[in-house]
Amino acid sequence: YILYVIGFIKNIFHPSDAGLYFLLKIPAMICDILCALIIFNLAEKHSEHKTGIVCTALFLFNPAVVLNSSVWGQVDSVFTVFVLLMLCCIFEKRLYPAYFFFAAAIFIKPQALFYTPVLIYAAIELVFYDNFSFSKLLRHIIAGLSAILMIFLLALPFNINSVISQYRNTIGSYNFASVNAYNLWTALGFNWRELNGAVSVIGYSMIILIVIASAFMYFVKKRRNRCFFVSAFICFATFMLSVKMHDRYAYPAMPLMLCAYALSKSKKDAALYLGISVLQFMNAAHVLFYYDPATYFSTSYSQIAIIISIAAVLFFAAMCLLIIKQERIKK
């Protein structure tokens, strides 16, 4: 739909190649601004005005955010807007609109599936734990099915079979341990290495462990900001530990962790946001400006990638230790 509008503008004004490239970047840049507005609104409504201003500035002037959309022209911010809206609805215990925002996010990018556990956790808590009734359950089932129906209606103009095929190809493409994601697998030297049975099993097992850990964090720790914090953890942990990850897949963890900080105003959450941002910037900048398929496996390039990946692994380990320590202190 977005590209249709851009194509319509292109056919009217016939911009140069540079102008067309700028047009293609505009939707992502607009969504960066929308993400910032959502963060500001959340902070001002549930924290304070000053916190909203600070968090908005921290996001809009984040080099990793500017690099992703304004420089590279990637569209990670487009589906992230809907993920943020979904989580804001969950935070305010409004599940019905959350289903539709989640469906819209999935329709844009398959990576929105990362946040399925959080929506399920919220549904379990608000439907089953909070004054359960069969009529209430039925209403939520109908809302969920309606959100799925919305996806099919949105896909109709593009031929549903073609959309399903595109989605399947997207999920099944890049059958590598890592696709320029500077994570555990790149640290071990598996960037652009074909997946084998053992690596696949380990990579997908990591997802199971991440879901278990996220469930514990959601239902046991019960932070005020848990829907955002747990979502940021799932995003970054999946990026770090699972297979088939791309260089930009940790992007949503930045606004999610910033939302968590906006609600907690914890220095530790702020440090996690800054750490994720620095690592995401180093990963994306190195790939964008220095990547050359012909020279990737040359000593200098691969060594820098491995060094950044090791730094990311150490940061993620520190993040996990911090979470465990906080739980012990709480007990």
Side-chain angles (χ1 to χ4, degrees), residues 93-285:
K93 298 183 178 181
R94 297 185 296 117
L95 273 187
Y96 295 125
Y99 297 136
F100 290 91
F101 286 131
F102 180 60
I106 288 178
F107 186 63
I108 296 168
K109 257 185 176 290
Q111 287 74 45
L113 291 169
F114 287 5
Y115 311 98
T116 306
V118 177
L119 183 59
I120 293 174
Y121 301 155
I124 290 173
E125 184 174 55
L126 297 177
V127 177
F128 290 95
Y129 290 176
D130 186 15
N131 299 320
F132 173 78
S133 69
F134 285 104
S135 61
K136 182 180 181 181
L137 175 62
L138 181 61
R139 290 195 298 272
H140 280 272
I141 290 174
I142 291 172
L145 292 175
S146 299
I148 295 173
L149 177 61
M150 181 190 74
I151 294 177
F152 282 94
L153 292 176
L154 289 171
L156 277 177
F158 306 98
N159 186 328
I160 291 177
N161 289 331
S162 297
V163 172
I164 293 174
S165 176
Q166 177 66 34
Y167 212 88
R168 188 187 302 115
N169 292 337
T170 299
I171 294 176
S173 62
Y174 299 112
N175 194 39
F176 303 97
S178 172
V179 185
N180 290 332
Y182 293 173
N183 56 14
L184 173 65
W185 297 104
T186 298
L188 295 173
F190 282 84
N191 194 31
W192 286 108
R193 296 292 176 87
E194 288 276 358
L195 279 175
N196 56 44
V199 173
S200 295
V201 170
I202 295 171
Y204 293 126
S205 297
M206 290 295 185
I207 295 177
I208 297 174
L209 293 176
I210 291 167
V211 172
I212 293 172
S214 68
F216 174 83
M217 293 164 62
Y218 192 92
F219 289 108
V220 178
K221 292 180 69 64
K222 291 194 173 182
R223 302 166 177 261
R224 178 174 180 244
N225 62 356
R226 58 183 167 158
C227 63
F228 296 102
F229 188 91
V230 172
S231 296
F233 171 80
I234 290 175
C235 177
F236 192 63
T238 303
F239 172 81
M240 287 301 307
L241 303 177
S242 189
V243 292
K244 297 185 179 182
M245 293 295 107
H246 288 233
D247 35 56
R248 309 174 322 278
Y249 281 10
Y251 173 92
M254 295 187 292
L256 294 173
M257 187 57 73
L258 196 53
C259 286
Y261 166 72
L263 295 172
S264 70
K265 290 188 285 186
S266 164
K267 292 181 180 178
K268 294 175 182 177
D269 289 346
L272 291 176
Y273 167 72
L274 292 174
I276 293 171
S277 297
V278 169
L279 290 168
Q280 180 63 188
F281 175 78
M282 292 173 68
N283 192 157

Side-chain angles (χ1 to χ4, degrees), residues 37-49:
L37 289 174
I38 293 169
I39 294 168
F40 174 79
N41 182 68
L42 178 75
E44 186 177 50
K45 188 175 180 181
H46 299 285
S47 186
E48 58 184 11
H49 180 77

Side-chain angles (χ1 to χ4, degrees), residues 16-30:
S16 63
D17 290 342
L20 179 59
Y21 193 34
F22 174 70
L23 279 175
L24 288 169
K25 290 180 178 182
I26 286 178
M29 290 190 287
I30 290 174

